[in-house]
Amino acid sequence: MKKTIVFIASLGAREKKAHIFEEITSSCPGNDYSSVLYLTPTAFGEAEARRQFFYYLKGRHRKTTYIPFHSISLRELCINLYEHYGEKAIIPEGIEPLLLCEIMGEKNLGYAVLLAQLLSKLRNYILNVDIPQIKEEIKKLIFEEKTMKRALKSLETLELYEKRLEEGGLIDFEGALREGIPLIKEHLEPELLVLDGFFDPTPLELKIIEALIEKAQKSLVLLEEEAEFLRFFEAHLDKIEKRQISSVTRREGTGYYVYPSMEDEVEGIARGVKRLILEGKRAGDIIVTFPQPSVYLPMLKRVFQKHAIPLSIAQYDLSNTRALIALLDMITSIEEDYPRNDFLSFLTSPHFPQVPQILREWAVSYSRRAGIIKGKTAWLSMRDILLNSTEVTAEEEKLINEVQRGINSVIDALEKLRETEDLTSFIDEIERLLHRFGFWDSLIGQSAQISETINKQFTELRYFSGICGRFKSPEDQGFSETKTLSGMEAIPYLRHLLKGLKGRDEGEDGVRVVPYEFAAGLESEAMFFGGMIEGDFPYRPDIDPLLPERVKEALGMPFLEYYLDRQKRYFRRLLNVSKEEPYFSYPSMEGDKVFLPSPFLEWGKSLIPPALNIPSEEEILLREGMFRRRDFRETLLNGQLQRGKEVERLLKKHFGKNVFISVTDIDAYRRCPLRFYIEKVLGFEAELPPRFEVEARLWGRLAHKTMEYLYRDGDIELKDIPNRIMEGLELAIKSREIRTIGDFWSKVAREIFLRLIPMIETQEEDIKKQGFSPYVVEKTIKTGINGLRLKGKIDRVDRKIKDKRYKIQDTVILLDYKTGSIDKDSLQLPLYALMWQKENKGSVERVGFYSLRNGSVQWYPAKGKGMEEFIEDALQDAFGLLQRLRKGVFTPIPFRDKECRYCYHGALCRGAK
Ligand code: SF4
């Protein structure tokens, strides 16, 4: 070991890096620092070193232009070296589990990931011992047979994996690190080597570091007094110079803040940060960190944006970005037969701008209305479902046709992916699809790093496609036969590669949001550490199903206690990174979950969060609005349309004296004028998520069509009723407007009718006994009565023929089939009776709602009331209602309170009961 200076920083020491920088500047007079090799454990540490060196030179030496040192992470240095001088090709890190899956002949990616992690640990912690030797050790350490078999099986797979790599002239990342050591000795000779930020390097990393120090002419090492790394130098004390950096403030513990919820906690952190900024602190000198950043980041971004606080996020999960989510939604759409939410999310994502605009605007609403849950067939039949289940204008029909064409073209394009035969054509096709729908263009600019990362994953998958054949071997006992991986089979692999991708915000001026491991190595003015929940910090790794903890300990690998102790040491460092007292916090609850504080915190030292009067602009505006106290109640839904020519014109057009008004519309207006206005005049409908059930209107049509068929060709014998109903049902199911209900619901419909038939037979017999027989079905009728123009459709008319010799007129009964509940106050039947009598000879004896729930008929008029009176009352009501309708009165006054129970407008409506 040549000249080595080790700077040992006490907890709470400040400006630690300045000591190293001072040595660098004195060793390199002038502006050229290119002879310095500056090594850090991570890329974040490397960027941080460059940044701080710049500020150091600017502040201490008034320099802003210089030739920078060569900074790189340890792993990257070794990989670069191996790529340059090594003999084998390095395989990308992400595809290791994929290759393991191919070796095992099963797509158990979860298990393969565990195997890859185990291999990485073996390579990093157990040096100079190969897998067969480890297997022998394990046989001695594990007595339980099942556990031992499991451990041995995993090691055998890893052995085979290494063999395949060797045969293919390939090497993985950890392998390249290990084989990079002789290359360091042969090819590197740094003039000045700097090691900064290493806390607990693995034995493999220590070997690499040792080789580097051996070759360097001079080495500078900055480490902390509690770092494991210090032990390495203790073995070489005679050859190193030790310099102590003393602490300025050393803390052993501190209080912590308790918030009622995560949202309150993030609000508290935001206000605390804002206070510091208002007091003059630079945002970049404030750190915010969490043990589980992915849980907090979306909320943090939202709340900090509300308070106009800029953020600079060192590392975040790209899988949570909208672009990645949109891409995965596209893949799920193809893989899982177009589930509604995923497919809609793909169609409307801003990251697919070339999806036809009309789909972006209408697909959500129409698919809801059509009740689509999933299924290519359902999407391709959306038009038919809509046109057959709702009344639409010609204009809307045109729009629906266009939306359907758009859906067809998108599904057509996506289906090409399903047709790909191998992995390479799958990747080509998916890239083509992304181009076609404008995905890459949407990432230009701010999201360029996402584009780069996804492209990198596609390259890795392509690489895997090139070599995966070599990893399959029919002669290997227990492993599958060689077969080509088809395109669709590769989807889980692509998903795996797109999972857990890391991104970072390039901006450096915001409050720094960093993982706590990074935060522990930084110096700052203030540090906020939120989410200190028991179970999250310290975090207990999941139980390892491959190797028991005590075996790992015996083999010298990290085990449970090691991880817990490591987090404890991180906590001690975090107590001392900021000048100001650190700000630890946790939420005591989230929803119905109750949390306890981290055991690292001193439970007696909980603090009440300060009440900071630092409102956001949004809060100021809300407060101002409240002070003005404007009352909008009169403007909103007062039930009376503003008078004006345009309103008069529209009312006349829709409900004027020359217009035939549907009887069912008058009835709807009677039930609630405001609801009628919203749904029938404005045409608004509540869009509810489709459920797994037949839409009520579709079921109504099916039942009506079936009953219409029953007497379509005239009367039939009672004994023929069951067959005729089932025939009608089959025809209805196959009809264009109904066939979309699918096999399951068709079966349900058959069962319902089979159960209903005996009840219908009884009812039909009863009608026949009264002398009536079917006369006409689905009768459209239009008529004018005292200036009232009405239209409607009567489901069924049965006639009793009287004796013509005595000139006695025929009488009829009118029937209306109902699949839903019956409204006894409905004006429908008396008005139909009136209309029938006006247009036909003979009188209406009775009218009835024919329930298709229980096959019974509810007859009207009720006892004690004659038909004439029944009709006259309804006519008077209809006149009154129409007068109000023509005046534009749409009051929120329901006919009965229960109307509001099934109404979707309650949230907006003043009349809601
Ligand atoms: S909530 Fe009641 S009053 Fe309001 S629109 Fe609906 S049915 Fe009418």
Side-chain angles (χ1 to χ4, degrees):
M1 201 173 265
K2 296 178 192 156
K3 182 165 168 67
T4 301
I5 306 174
V6 180
F7 295 89
I8 303 168
S10 309
L11 283 178
R14 311 218 52 88
E15 298 192 13
K16 294 172 276 193
K17 279 191 172 54
H19 295 262
I20 294 258
F21 295 158
E22 212 171 302
E23 277 297 320
I24 292 175
T25 44
S26 59
S27 305
C28 309
N31 279 347
D32 185 359
Y33 304 102
S34 58
S35 58
V36 179
L37 176 59
Y38 201 110
L39 288 184
T40 56
T42 59
F44 174 81
E46 175 205 331
E48 192 56 27
R50 279 201 308 266
R51 192 176 80 96
Q52 291 203 21
F53 190 57
F54 172 80
Y55 286 121
Y56 169 82
L57 285 183
K58 195 176 163 195
R60 290 269 174 94
H61 300 276
R62 306 263 173 264
K63 277 189 206 172
T64 49
T65 49
Y66 55 91
I67 300 171
F69 49 62
H70 180 45
S71 62
I72 191 166
S73 73
L74 189 70
R75 278 171 79 83
E76 217 182 326
L77 175 82
C78 293
I79 296 299
N80 288 353
L81 201 64
Y82 192 89
E83 276 175 347
H84 203 75
Y85 299 106
E87 287 168 2
K88 299 172 195 161
I90 304 176
I91 58 165
E93 219 170 358
I95 68 166
E96 284 175 28
L98 276 50
L99 293 172
L100 283 160
C101 277
E102 290 306 297
I103 286 182
M104 292 185 290
E106 53 181 87
K107 251 174 233 73
N108 188 346
L109 266 165
Y111 180 58
V113 168
L114 286 176
L115 283 180
Q117 286 167 354
L118 173 63
L119 183 64
S120 164
K121 298 229 171 74
L122 294 176
R123 295 244 173 88
N124 269 286
Y125 289 90
I126 308 180
L127 307 180
N128 309 322
V129 182
D130 58 16
I131 293 183
Q133 287 170 293
I134 298 173
K135 269 163 54 187
E136 289 311 312
E137 274 297 305
I138 278 180
K139 281 181 199 164
K140 287 183 224 153
L141 289 167
I142 306 179
F143 306 108
E144 209 270 308
E145 197 184 345
K146 230 165 131 190
T147 315
M148 185 168 71
K149 271 192 182 161
R150 200 166 46 222
L152 290 179
K153 187 174 173 238
S154 47
L155 288 170
E156 275 156 19
T157 311
L158 293 179
E159 212 176 343
L160 192 62
Y161 166 79
E162 287 198 325
K163 190 173 151 212
R164 290 278 176 271
L165 284 183
E166 190 64 40
E167 287 165 359
L170 301 167
I171 192 163
D172 56 20
F173 263 56
E174 249 79 26
L177 291 188
R178 203 170 48 184
E179 293 191 20
I181 297 170
L183 300 178
I184 291 172
K185 291 180 180 162
E186 203 176 328
H187 301 284
L188 280 188
E189 208 160 333
E191 271 182 42
L192 179 58
L193 172 73
V194 178
L195 296 164
D196 176 14
F198 291 90
F199 191 62
D200 49 1
T202 67
L204 176 61
E205 287 169 337
L206 279 178
K207 278 272 167 227
I208 298 169
I209 289 171
E210 195 173 11
L212 280 164
I213 293 178
E214 284 297 334
K215 294 291 292 183
Q217 290 176 27
K218 182 178 175 183
S219 302
L220 304 174
V221 186
L222 174 61
L223 44 79
E224 291 179 25
E225 65 182 11
E226 295 205 349
E228 276 288 306
F229 193 24
L230 188 55
R231 288 194 203 160
F232 169 78
F233 292 100
E234 276 163 3
H236 304 279
L237 278 180
D238 51 328
K239 295 179 194 155
I240 60 165
E241 178 189 335
K242 275 209 292 184
R243 292 190 198 165
Q244 193 74 32
I245 310 172
S246 358
S247 60
V248 178
T249 43
R250 189 183 178 107
R251 303 181 188 103
E252 294 299 332
T254 186
Y256 62 93
Y257 296 95
V258 188
Y259 288 92
S261 70
M262 276 170 70
E263 179 88 23
D264 288 306
E265 185 187 17
V266 175
E267 266 291 338
I269 293 175
R271 284 172 209 267
V273 168
K274 201 159 178 184
R275 174 184 65 86
L276 293 174
I277 294 174
L278 291 174
E279 282 171 10
K281 299 263 186 308
R282 226 173 51 87
D285 288 334
I286 302 169
I287 292 173
V288 176
T289 186
F290 302 95
Q292 304 286 338
S294 58
V295 179
Y296 274 89
L297 268 183
M299 197 186 287
L300 190 80
K301 281 188 192 170
R302 175 169 53 79
V303 174
F304 272 54
Q305 191 177 21
K306 187 176 86 179
H307 286 276
I309 306 170
L311 286 178
S312 172
I313 302 168
Q315 185 175 293
Y316 62 93
D317 190 351
L318 281 183
S319 323
N320 294 331
T321 56
R322 289 170 79 185
L324 248 295
I325 290 171
L327 171 57
L328 290 170
D329 285 336
M330 185 184 94
I331 295 169
T332 309
S333 301
I334 307 159
E335 193 185 17
E336 293 177 15
D337 199 18
Y338 305 93
R340 191 191 132 70
N341 289 347
D342 303 76
F343 190 42
L344 284 178
S345 163
F346 154 67
L347 291 177
T348 53
S349 164
H351 289 289
F352 292 109
Q354 296 306 326
V355 165
Q357 183 59 24
I358 197 156
L359 293 189
R360 308 161 72 71
E361 284 171 17
W362 292 100
V364 173
S365 137
Y366 280 140
S367 62
R368 276 186 170 223
R369 223 197 277 178
I372 294 175
I373 306 271
K374 72 182 282 191
K376 182 174 127 189
T377 328
W379 285 101
L380 295 179
S381 318
M382 192 172 85
R383 173 193 172 279
D384 289 352
I385 302 173
L386 287 170
L387 296 189
N388 292 319
S389 59
T390 45
E391 278 178 26
V392 294
T393 60
E395 210 178 318
E396 196 176 9
E397 185 173 342
K398 215 168 122 202
L399 179 65
I400 292 172
N401 283 335
E402 227 177 300
V403 173
Q404 184 68 68
R405 275 195 293 280
I407 297 265
N408 295 356
S409 76
V410 170
I411 290 185
D412 238 30
L414 295 182
E415 283 298 293
K416 294 216 167 59
L417 199 62
R418 196 187 295 283
E419 289 155 19
T420 53
E421 285 178 356
D422 55 46
L423 187 48
T424 313
S425 49
F426 171 82
I427 306 164
D428 291 345
E429 191 53 49
I430 206 162
E431 283 181 333
R432 237 195 316 273
L433 276 176
L434 295 179
H435 274 296
R436 177 185 161 164
F437 293 123
F439 182 74
W440 301 120
D441 294 342
S442 80
L443 299 176
I444 294 172
Q446 278 196 339
S447 311
Q449 69 164 313
I450 300 182
S451 166
E452 227 171 79
T453 315
I454 295 174
N455 264 317
K456 187 171 154 266
Q457 302 312 99
F458 283 147
T459 311
E460 291 197 1
L461 197 56
R462 223 180 267 284
Y463 186 95
F464 168 71
S465 155
I467 62 166
C468 76
R470 290 185 235 171
F471 279 75
K472 299 179 175 192
S473 167
E475 71 268 7
D476 287 323
Q477 287 287 318
F479 296 122
S480 75
E481 300 240 322
T482 305
K483 75 173 181 61
T484 322
L485 194 68
S486 80
M488 289 301 284
E489 281 177 320
I491 286 188
Y493 288 170
L494 178 59
R495 271 188 198 289
H496 167 76
L497 288 176
L498 294 176
K499 217 162 52 181
L501 298 175
K502 296 279 182 277
R504 62 182 300 239
D505 254 355
E506 298 300 339
E508 287 182 353
D509 297 332
V511 171
R512 311 188 72 193
V513 183
V514 292
Y516 73 87
E517 294 92 335
F518 294 178
L522 291 176
E523 289 173 32
S524 65
E525 289 289 328
M527 187 209 62
F528 293 76
F529 193 160
M532 292 281 287
I533 296 169
E534 187 197 31
D536 280 357
F537 197 69
Y539 169 75
R540 283 177 167 264
D542 295 334
I543 291 171
D544 187 342
L546 303 182
L547 283 186
E549 294 303 315
R550 57 177 181 80
V551 176
K552 287 197 266 183
E553 186 182 1
L555 290 173
M557 291 163 67
F559 59 105
L560 188 63
E561 287 307 317
Y562 162 84
Y563 290 114
L564 298 180
D565 177 62
R566 186 170 185 257
Q567 290 175 79
K568 194 171 183 179
R569 286 185 293 132
Y570 268 106
F571 176 67
R572 281 174 54 75
R573 292 169 74 196
L574 285 162
L575 275 171
N576 291 289
V577 294
S578 56
K579 262 192 204 165
E580 293 223 351
E581 193 73 11
Y583 189 102
F584 290 97
S585 61
Y586 90 101
S588 58
M589 278 188 86
E590 191 59 30
D592 54 1
K593 274 194 203 159
V594 180
F595 299 125
L596 287 173
S598 159
F600 292 160
L601 298 169
E602 287 174 60
W603 286 18
K605 284 197 176 174
S606 69
L607 304 165
I608 295 166
L612 296 173
N613 189 14
I614 305 174
S616 67
E617 201 182 331
E618 183 186 310
E619 286 162 334
I620 293 170
L621 289 172
L622 278 172
R623 197 61 63 87
E624 279 176 6
M626 279 169 69
F627 280 133
R628 284 189 201 152
R629 285 182 178 276
R630 286 194 54 190
D631 188 348
F632 292 96
R633 274 177 302 175
E634 287 315 306
T635 325
L636 281 174
L637 303 176
N638 64 2
Q640 185 78 43
L641 288 186
Q642 301 270 332
R643 305 312 294 185
K645 277 199 175 146
E646 185 57 13
V647 175
E648 303 282 347
R649 192 186 67 75
L650 286 170
L651 285 172
K652 204 167 165 186
K653 185 177 161 204
H654 291 290
F655 312 113
K657 291 203 165 112
N658 296 328
V659 180
F660 279 97
I661 296 174
S662 140
V663 169
T664 46
D665 277 357
I666 296 180
D667 229 15
Y669 180 78
R670 174 188 59 89
R671 285 200 297 274
C672 176
L674 180 61
R675 187 170 180 183
F676 175 82
Y677 177 69
I678 295 171
E679 293 178 3
K680 302 273 181 177
V681 181
L682 298 179
F684 291 159
E685 267 187 46
E687 296 280 6
L688 298 174
R691 284 175 299 204
F692 189 58
E693 61 183 27
V694 177
E695 197 260 330
R697 268 178 298 200
L698 205 59
W699 168 245
R701 272 174 185 268
L702 178 74
H704 270 76
K705 264 182 139 346
T706 308
M707 294 306 283
E708 180 193 339
Y709 181 80
L710 180 64
Y711 295 121
R712 197 186 60 185
D713 304 325
D715 198 7
I716 57 167
E717 295 282 322
L718 275 175
K719 66 176 174 45
D720 295 332
I721 287 177
N723 283 347
R724 187 79 182 166
I725 286 182
M726 293 317 283
E727 254 174 54
L729 178 64
E730 289 309 318
L731 286 173
I733 286 171
K734 284 189 196 122
S735 69
R736 204 164 140 253
E737 58 190 286
I738 313 278
R739 66 176 175 231
T740 47
I741 66 167
D743 290 348
F744 175 76
W745 291 115
S746 304
K747 220 170 132 194
V748 172
R750 284 184 199 107
E751 278 170 22
I752 290 176
F753 267 97
L754 280 174
R755 191 183 50 81
L756 199 59
I757 282 172
M759 298 178 236
I760 292 177
E761 282 179 304
T762 314
Q763 184 58 66
E764 291 300 319
E765 195 180 355
D766 191 41
I767 293 173
K768 276 193 194 317
K769 273 188 192 155
Q770 293 168 38
F772 288 94
S773 57
Y775 173 47
V776 60
V777 292
E778 294 284 310
K779 174 72 182 162
T780 303
I781 190 160
K782 256 183 175 185
T783 195
I785 301 154
N786 303 344
L788 195 67
R789 295 183 148 212
L790 299 172
K791 63 177 179 182
K793 197 190 253 179
I794 308 170
D795 286 342
R796 174 175 157 187
V797 181
D798 282 21
R799 185 171 58 166
K800 188 183 337 182
I801 301 175
K802 295 282 173 78
D803 197 333
K804 287 209 168 81
R805 284 172 301 171
Y806 304 101
K807 297 202 174 157
I808 297 172
Q809 297 277 350
D810 298 340
T811 53
V812 293
I813 50 173
L814 309 182
L815 293 166
D816 192 74
Y817 294 124
K818 283 276 175 238
T819 45
S821 56
I822 287 168
D823 175 4
K824 67 178 176 46
D825 299 305
S826 166
L827 300 180
Q828 198 183 350
L829 288 175
L831 291 181
Y832 282 166
L834 175 68
M835 289 158 80
W836 174 269
Q837 292 185 157
K838 178 90 198 317
E839 294 296 310
N840 298 276
K841 286 189 180 139
S843 60
V844 176
E845 193 176 300
R846 283 200 294 174
V847 289
F849 284 123
Y850 197 136
S851 165
L852 296 180
R853 283 179 173 180
N854 57 20
S856 69
V857 177
Q858 177 90 46
W859 294 107
Y860 300 94
K863 267 190 190 151
K865 197 173 193 179
M867 180 58 84
E868 246 177 67
E869 193 190 342
F870 181 53
I871 292 176
E872 187 53 34
D873 286 354
L875 190 61
Q876 290 309 319
D877 285 349
F879 270 124
L881 289 166
L882 208 58
Q883 254 179 2
R884 289 164 60 77
L885 180 57
R886 282 176 180 155
K887 278 189 195 154
V889 177
F890 297 105
T891 41
I893 303 176
F895 186 75
R896 273 177 311 210
D897 290 356
K898 77 169 195 196
E899 294 297 333
C900 301
R901 217 185 301 157
Y902 306 105
C903 176
Y904 304 121
H905 316 299
L908 281 175
C909 179
R910 284 173 59 200
K913 302 245 176 1

